[in-house]
Amino acid sequence: MSATRIPAGYVPLTDAAPLIAAQEMGFAAEERLVLELHRAPSWSSLRDMLAFGQVDAAQMLAPVPVAAALGFGGASAPFSVLSVLSVNGTVIGVSSSLARRLADAGHNFSFDDAASAGKALIAAAGPGLRIGVPFPFSMHMELLHYWLHGLAADAGRGISIRTVPPPLMTDAIKSGEIDAFCVGEPWGSIAVENGAGALLLPGRAIWSFAPEKVLAVRSTWAEAEPGLTGRLIRTLWRAGRWLADPASRGLAAEILSARRYLDLPAEIIERALSGKFTVTPQGLQREVPGFIGFHDGAAGFPWRSQAQWVALQLAERTGLDRRRALELAGPVFRSELYRTALAGTGADLPGASSKLEGATGAPLLAAGESEAVKLLPNRFFDGRVFDPMAAD
């Protein structure tokens, strides 16, 4: 039987790895699929490629499908999230001049304390802090708002957040266009390598299990192609399982480094996969276990509570009715399609579709479809817990 070709889009980042590995390592072929991978220059162009049918599946910033369901972001079609491609994987960095001010004030760039790093940043930057993010509707944006406003109610005053495509982040901070950034790897490490800045914090220090990128399709496509939907979910699940094996890191970095994909040195890409970072141009080293996740802890499961957390952040900033936002967002993350596709594969399949976000500081066994599922720590830096049942 001949393979079915699915055009799929991605942005050149380390967390595009599941889509790329699925095709390169034969996981797509196991489901009689060929992923025709299309590299997009920005998140807005990739969103439009999916909306207008230039691709049928895409790596997507987790908040984009939620924002679309709430009527934000200019998407011309409703999207469905079939699975989470990656959790975490972002870094917050600062310009060289701001890094010097932080160091002079005694900040030690420990790379693991969001509260102290945030307070130090607010004090050192003063008014007029300019932060670059890849897209307005992104986990980068949501984490920054949650972090800075959580530290000081007036922290947002005088802060401007600007959109900068990931590959241009180094140029933007080097030229003085921005003072800081939040971006997916390897673009933070590229800024360090080029002497443009230093890394202040990994995104997981703000939320330790944040859904970063998702596999999105047009909702009409998901309904029209249930067989292909299931095969695509299984393909990406197998790719995520392979990427989670430490023995795969070297080969994964080599594959991603290819000219047709990220076109960057494999050594830089492997930093995110291993969690071993150079955080300053002077060579300061930091290690972040679980910096990016593709599989462990049911990482691929599209929790509706994750979508609802994003929706609540958007509602609070825009004045949208909170209850309405939660109702619209939950069904965007298609946990029922994920369960159906992976039944009988041995995948970790939680029995519930929602959970308390931020409630677990240690690994936890949760009820599953057939057996208990091990969930990984899920904490916000300030200890708050999001209960989707009580959020409205």
Side-chain angles (χ1 to χ4, degrees):
M1 184 180 297
S2 61
T4 301
R5 308 185 79 85
I6 296 181
Y10 72 97
V11 168
L13 290 155
T14 302
D15 52 27
L19 276 169
I20 295 169
Q23 180 58 30
E24 293 286 346
M25 296 301 298
F27 302 115
E30 290 182 33
E31 290 290 339
R32 306 187 315 282
L33 297 177
V34 173
L35 298 182
E36 297 178 345
L37 298 176
H38 298 264
R39 190 163 95 171
S42 67
W43 291 112
S44 58
S45 62
L46 182 53
R47 176 203 60 201
D48 293 343
M49 287 166 63
L50 182 62
F52 292 111
Q54 293 173 275
V55 296
D56 288 331
Q59 172 204 24
M60 189 167 280
L61 295 156
V64 169
V66 176
L70 272 54
F72 301 131
S76 59
F79 301 129
S80 288
V81 170
L82 301 185
S83 65
V84 174
L85 292 179
S86 61
V87 296
N88 307 321
T90 60
V91 291
I92 295 165
V94 295
S95 67
S96 295
S97 60
L98 187 47
R100 284 193 294 271
R101 296 205 297 274
L102 283 161
D104 289 345
H107 185 65
N108 66 358
F109 290 84
S110 65
F111 212 53
D112 62 358
D113 188 336
S116 68
K119 291 174 183 175
L121 175 63
I122 292 168
L129 177 64
R130 301 161 301 168
I131 307 177
V133 298
F135 198 64
F137 300 104
S138 62
M139 195 56 69
H140 314 81
M141 178 74 85
E142 302 312 327
L143 291 178
L144 284 174
H145 273 285
Y146 185 87
W147 176 47
L148 296 176
H149 286 275
L151 290 169
D154 61 350
R157 295 177 184 173
I159 295 177
S160 63
I161 300 181
R162 307 179 180 190
T163 301
V164 181
L168 301 182
M169 204 67 77
T170 294
D171 291 341
I173 202 160
K174 198 168 188 175
S175 67
E177 180 185 337
I178 55 175
D179 307 301
F181 58 75
C182 183
V183 73
E185 275 293 284
W187 298 107
S189 289
I190 293 294
V192 174
E193 287 299 298
N194 290 350
L199 301 184
L200 181 66
L201 203 67
R204 65 162 289 128
I206 300 170
W207 182 6
S208 65
F209 208 76
E212 175 55 32
K213 304 299 190 306
V214 297
L215 176 68
V217 299
R218 294 180 302 283
S219 296
T220 52
W221 190 88
E223 301 308 323
E225 300 285 359
L228 283 180
T229 295
R231 289 155 64 186
L232 191 55
I233 291 171
R234 288 191 294 274
T235 293
L236 273 299
W237 175 76
R238 292 189 179 100
R241 181 176 58 179
W242 179 78
L243 287 163
D245 184 348
S248 301
R249 289 172 186 160
L251 179 55
E254 288 290 341
I255 292 171
L256 291 170
S257 72
R259 191 171 192 176
R260 63 186 177 279
Y261 295 132
L262 272 63
D263 193 20
L264 291 168
E267 185 273 330
I268 299 291
I269 296 169
E270 194 167 356
R271 293 181 191 182
L273 299 176
S274 67
K276 296 177 180 178
F277 285 91
T278 300
V279 301
T280 69
Q282 294 74 35
L284 182 65
Q285 302 290 306
R286 294 289 184 248
E287 187 165 354
V288 187
F291 171 77
I292 189 169
F294 299 109
H295 180 75
D296 295 341
F301 189 79
W303 294 94
R304 293 185 174 181
S305 48
Q306 294 173 335
Q308 290 174 314
W309 183 87
V310 170
L312 187 62
Q313 309 313 305
L314 291 172
E316 289 180 344
R317 288 208 305 279
T318 62
L320 188 67
D321 180 77
R322 291 159 56 103
R323 176 173 293 185
R324 180 62 174 158
L326 294 172
E327 289 175 352
L328 291 171
V332 173
F333 277 38
R334 304 293 297 274
S335 51
E336 80 285 4
L337 296 182
Y338 188 89
R339 282 199 190 88
T340 298
L342 290 170
T345 63
D348 287 334
L349 296 174
S353 295
S354 292
K355 66 182 187 302
L356 298 177
E357 300 293 347
T360 56
L364 171 73
L365 287 179
E369 287 280 281
S370 57
E371 59 184 40
V373 174
K374 183 180 180 181
L375 302 181
L376 296 180
N378 182 348
R379 297 283 287 179
F380 294 105
F381 83 99
D382 55 5
R384 282 193 278 176
V385 174
F386 170 67
D387 181 354
M389 298 299 292
D392 59 356

